[in-house]
Structure formats: structure tokens, C-alpha cells
Amino acid sequence: MLKGSRLLSIGLAGQIALVILVTTSLSFFGSELLYKRAETELVASSQAERVAGRLALADRLIAPLPRAERGEAARRLSTDSLALGWSAGAAPPMAEPSPHLPVGHIRKRMSELEPGLAHRDIRIVEDAGGGVAGALRLGDGSSIIFRAEGRSARVPTLGSHLVSLLLLTGGVLLATLLLLRALAEPLRTLARAADRAGLGEPITVPEEGPPEVISLARSVNAMQARLMALVEDRTQALAAVSHDLLTPIARLRLRAGALEPGETRDAILRDLDEMQAFMTSILGYLRGAEPEAAKPIDLASLLMTIVDDAADTGADASYDGPDRLPAVLPPLRIRRAVANLVENALRHAGQARVRLSREADAIRITIDDDGPGIAEADMAHVFDPFHRLDASRSRESGGAGLGLAIVVRALEGIGTVTLANRPEGGLRAEIRLSVR
């Protein structure tokens, strides 16, 4: 299972290249073995034909001669490729046949070419020079000795053909990578388009490449258009309803103010406050991921303004950080995210301490409070829309459970937000912004 996971992790291009490398290597070695086998049979057949014909001639000519003349006759029958000799006694000792020498094939071929040699006593070995040597025993116990020059075919080792293998494999891999690069670029564009499909920033995929890629790109573009139209229609409808409800809420508030002071009027005003906070939260959530161009801003000044606005209402809010920190960010989305976290801390803990710092690859914004924190079991759901933590956070302040969801939507594509309970008590919200 692990090996399969590692194979999948190298990507489509790597997997295809690996398959081509393996198949190329197997094809190379397979063809090399088949070629050498055919070459071995061809060389053995050629040697057998050469030796068989000459031995048959030598047998017919030398056997009737007196012993004293046989040696000279054998030398005269010799050729440049086949040396013959005669031994008065048995053949001299010979080494065992080499495993590379196809002795059986040579014997069989010699018997086919010269049937008279089929049942004769013939010894065949490979000599030190790579040729074929042996002896044919005559009827009187003497022997005709022969040696056929030439190399017997052997299957080569990897080292002898390593350069050829590397050149062949390198050429195939280079061509494969060039083709895969042309195929992978449209796939990467499709991946980016799919990743941005729900973020309000569609990417038009170029409809080019192989027919299958063109068809897929066309489908992705059409899907993005349908999704954008659907989301836009529903967002506008919900925003219109939420906005239009604020007007009757305001009228009801005015009419409730005309009632006699008492428990009934106070209850009506609390309900109206909760309804208005609910509508305001929904509108803020819908605006959370609206497209906004990044531009140079002074992030320190923006945070100090948020803190000062909260302090002007009598809230316990403070800022700690540099007096100036330039960055290229969408200001409205940053303001919406930080303001919601500050408001969340003030609502549930009564104070908010904002701290700003710059790191090598990011900007860090933390908002600390001394409130009750959040139960660890609820941490996995705190960013879910309309999720309210009744056990740890008060419902008396109203709201729709969208404050933290608004933060997440506002930071999409530019940063992340995390929550953690502080060891000394309270909650810490941390925003990490990617720097440009």
C-alpha cells in the first residue's frame, strides 16, 4: 500500500516516464538477448558446416594413408580458418566444453551435413582463442585433430552495452518529457481554474491542445460560468432580502420607542437588536469574499484605526506593534477580518489586545482576550457558518454565528486565521498574511 502511494505521489508525468523507462529497458534487453541467441545459432551453424565438410574429407583421405604420411596430409588439408593435424594415439586431453559453446547444436549440424559422422567419436571444445577445437577418432585408434578459428557468440553483459542503453533511454525520456510538458500545462490550468471556481475569481482555460483536453477545457469554462451565475443570483437575492428587512426593523424600533417604558418595550427592543445584528452579519458574510484588488497600504495605520474606533466607544482595546508597516493587500477585506475578530473579543471577553509583527515570509496579526475561551471539542466547528457556541459564548449579544465565517471568507487567497486557547486563559486569534 505504501509503495503504491509513493508511486502515485510522483505525478502523472513521473509515472508515464517511469513506465516508458521500464518498457524501454525491457525491450532493449529482450531484443539484445534474442539477437545474440540468433547470432549464436548462426555462428554455430557456420562453424559446423566448415568443420563437418573438412573433417569428412580428411577422414576419407587420411584414414587409408600409411601412418607416416598422415600428419603431412592433414597439414595440406588445412585452410586459413581450419587447422588440421594427426595424432598417432588417442586425442590429447581437452578441457570440459564451455557453457557458452553450443556443442549439441554443432554435433547435430555436423551429422546433418555429413551423415557419416553421426556415430563417430568426436570431441568438441572451445579453445582459449574463442574458436572451436576437437578431435575425430579414426578406426585404428589414431585421431584427426582440428581447430576452427572464429569467435563463439556469447550473450553480452550489461556493461558492454551500457552506453547504448543510456543513449537510447535518454532520447526516449527527453521526447517523453517534452510531450508530457505540452500535455501537463493545460492540466495545471484546469487545476487552477477548479481551485478558484468558488472564490469569485474564475480562470478562463485556453481551449487548445489534444481533442480530449479541448473538450475538458470547454466543459470547465462552461461549468465556471454556470456556477458564477448561480452564486451571483442567490447572493443578490439573499442580500436584497437582508437589506430590505433592515427598513421595517428600523420602523419597528421607532414604534417600540413610543411605548411606555417597561418590560414589554425592553423585550421588543432586544428582539429588534438581535434581528438587526442577524441581518448585518448576513450582509457582512455575503460581502466577505467580494473581489478586491490589492494595493499598497499602511497595515499598522489600518489596525490602529480599528482599535481607536473601538476605544472611542469606551471599549478596552489596545494596539502593540510598529507605527508603520507597508504591504500590498486588499484593505477592505483586511479591515473586515480584523474588525470582526476585535468585535468578537470585545463582545465575549470585554477587551481586545491587537499585536502586529512582520516575519520573513508573512505578516502576523494576533488578537488576544481574557475571556472564557472555546471548548476544545468545539474548535473544529468555530468557522462553520451559522454555528454558535452556546456553552462557551453568550447568546445575549445576538448575531447569526457568522462572525468567524466572515473572517475566513475575507482572508480567502490572501491569508489564514487560527484560534487557540491561551495557556494563561482567554482566546488568541491569529491571522497570517502572505507577503508580496
Side-chain angles (χ1 to χ4, degrees):
M1 187 68 179
L2 181 59
K3 292 182 178 179
S5 301
R6 289 179 177 175
L7 180 60
L8 293 176
S9 67
I10 66 176
L12 177 62
Q15 293 178 48
I16 295 177
L18 180 60
V19 169
I20 291 178
L21 174 62
V22 172
T23 54
T24 301
S25 301
L26 291 177
S27 299
F28 178 85
F29 284 114
S31 60
E32 192 72 12
L33 289 173
L34 291 175
Y35 171 76
K36 285 304 176 182
R37 180 176 178 180
E39 185 181 33
T40 299
E41 294 180 355
L42 180 62
V43 171
S45 179
S46 176
Q47 288 177 332
E49 291 178 2
R50 196 165 61 245
V51 172
R54 186 61 60 169
L55 281 180
L57 178 62
D59 183 37
R60 288 193 299 268
L61 296 178
I62 295 176
L65 295 176
R67 286 177 169 258
E69 299 177 5
R70 291 179 180 179
E72 181 63 25
R75 284 191 293 272
R76 290 180 180 180
L77 290 174
S78 299
T79 65
D80 293 338
S81 60
L82 179 64
L84 296 174
W86 178 78
S87 174
M94 295 183 179
E96 291 296 324
S98 169
H100 302 295
L101 182 65
V103 175
H105 178 82
I106 293 179
R107 287 182 180 275
K108 179 181 178 182
R109 186 60 177 160
M110 289 176 64
S111 299
E112 292 173 354
L113 294 173
E114 294 293 340
L117 300 178
H119 303 291
R120 299 289 297 276
D121 183 8
I122 302 176
R123 296 195 61 187
I124 303 173
V125 297
E126 182 183 24
D127 69 0
V132 176
L136 171 64
R137 189 176 181 85
L138 300 178
D140 61 356
S142 62
S143 301
I144 298 176
I145 303 171
F146 63 89
R147 179 181 181 278
E149 296 182 354
R151 299 183 59 83
S152 60
R154 298 187 183 185
V155 178
T157 61
L158 174 62
S160 62
H161 289 81
L162 184 59
V163 175
S164 299
L165 174 62
L166 292 177
L167 289 177
L168 176 62
T169 304
V172 171
L173 285 179
L174 179 60
T176 302
L177 291 176
L178 292 176
L179 292 174
L180 289 176
R181 182 178 180 183
L183 176 63
E185 183 58 34
L187 294 179
R188 283 192 290 267
T189 305
L190 287 172
R192 290 195 297 269
D195 185 56
R196 304 299 301 175
L199 302 181
E201 301 177 17
I203 297 177
T204 301
V205 181
E207 298 179 6
E208 56 187 23
E212 295 81 3
V213 175
I214 293 176
S215 177
L216 181 58
R218 188 177 295 119
S219 299
V220 169
N221 288 333
M223 178 193 68
Q224 289 189 95
R226 291 193 298 269
L227 285 176
M228 290 298 297
L230 179 63
V231 172
E232 184 67 20
D233 290 344
R234 295 191 176 185
T235 300
Q236 289 182 359
L238 186 55
V241 170
S242 300
H243 182 271
D244 291 345
L245 283 176
L246 293 178
T247 300
I249 289 175
R251 289 199 301 264
L252 288 173
R253 189 184 302 279
L254 290 175
R255 292 170 183 173
L259 298 176
E260 293 293 331
E263 184 177 345
T264 300
R265 189 184 75 167
D266 293 341
I268 292 174
L269 291 176
R270 284 197 301 270
D271 289 341
L272 291 174
D273 288 340
E274 186 171 351
M275 292 175 62
Q276 184 168 359
F278 187 88
M279 294 297 104
T280 302
S281 297
I282 291 179
L283 291 173
Y285 180 72
L286 294 177
R287 291 194 301 264
E290 291 178 349
E292 180 188 4
K295 60 183 180 180
I297 63 171
D298 183 358
L299 186 57
S301 296
L302 189 149
L303 297 187
M304 285 189 283
T305 300
I306 295 174
V307 170
D308 290 342
D309 290 344
D312 290 342
T313 64
D316 181 8
S318 62
Y319 168 80
D320 179 20
D323 295 332
R324 189 172 184 276
L325 200 161
V328 180
L329 295 165
L332 295 180
R333 293 171 61 183
I334 296 298
R335 174 184 288 274
R336 189 174 296 126
V338 176
N340 270 274
L341 290 175
V342 170
E343 181 182 353
N344 189 70
L346 293 175
R347 180 185 300 123
H348 301 294
Q351 78 281 335
R353 295 185 293 277
V354 180
R355 185 166 64 253
L356 173 66
S357 61
R358 176 68 180 264
E359 299 177 354
D361 58 348
I363 295 174
R364 186 197 301 263
I365 303 172
T366 58
I367 297 94
D368 292 342
D369 65 51
D370 297 326
I374 297 176
E376 293 299 330
D378 293 325
M379 278 294 184
H381 304 288
V382 292
F383 295 112
D384 295 345
F386 304 103
H387 182 77
R388 301 179 65 172
L389 306 176
D390 298 339
S392 59
R393 296 288 189 169
S394 171
R395 289 179 58 94
E396 296 177 357
S397 58
L402 289 171
L404 295 177
I406 291 173
V407 175
V408 174
R409 285 175 64 86
L411 295 176
E412 283 180 347
I414 59 174
T416 59
V417 58
T418 57
L419 296 180
N421 291 312
R422 302 166 60 218
E424 60 271 27
L427 187 70
R428 167 167 294 177
E430 179 179 293
I431 294 175
R432 288 181 62 86
L433 300 171
S434 302
V435 295
R436 296 186 181 182

